[in-house]
Amino acid sequence: MPLILIPFGVFFACCCAQFFLWRVRRAMVERHPDVWREISGKAWFIDKAVSRFAWKRRDKGLNDPDLTRKVKELKIFGVVTFSAWLVYAVMLVTGLGLP
């Protein structure tokens, strides 16, 4: 596998993570507008507010299995995205990605 594909994999993972953030945000707006107003009113960046909501597991208190499933998917893909960035950073620092 050519090592040049790693940055493209990182970009793809970030794009997919945005899709998962959008799904959680949409579910919150539709089914829990009061919680959505609370977290979005305090946030400077909406995606950061949704990420913080997911990582702090505030979805558990809402008793919404569909939202909890979407938050789990977001967290799993967040770990995959972070791992891809980490591999890319290690390759840049160590020079493994150079021909």
Side-chain angles (χ1 to χ4, degrees):
M1 175 176 105
L3 295 176
I4 191 69
L5 293 179
I6 291 176
F8 294 108
V10 169
F11 177 73
F12 179 73
C14 289
C15 291
C16 290
Q18 287 297 313
F19 172 73
F20 285 109
L21 273 170
W22 173 78
R23 288 181 56 198
V24 170
R25 184 173 57 232
R26 193 174 112 209
M28 287 179 57
V29 167
E30 291 174 357
R31 292 194 300 270
H32 305 286
D34 51 336
V35 176
W36 173 249
R37 275 191 300 273
E38 176 191 337
I39 69 167
S40 66
K42 297 176 184 176
W44 283 36
F45 302 104
I46 297 299
D47 287 344
K48 181 69 175 173
V50 174
S51 297
R52 189 175 304 130
F53 174 85
W55 287 101
K56 288 186 176 184
R57 299 298 294 168
R58 290 189 54 201
D59 60 293
K60 291 284 190 180
L62 298 176
N63 205 14
D64 184 349
D66 186 49
L67 180 63
T68 300
R69 180 181 51 82
K70 289 177 181 176
V71 166
K72 260 186 187 173
E73 292 170 353
L74 171 65
K75 289 178 73 173
I76 289 169
F77 215 83
V79 169
V80 169
T81 303
F82 181 76
S83 300
W85 273 109
L86 187 62
V87 167
Y88 185 52
V90 168
M91 290 183 70
L92 285 174
V93 170
T94 60
L96 289 174
L98 300 175

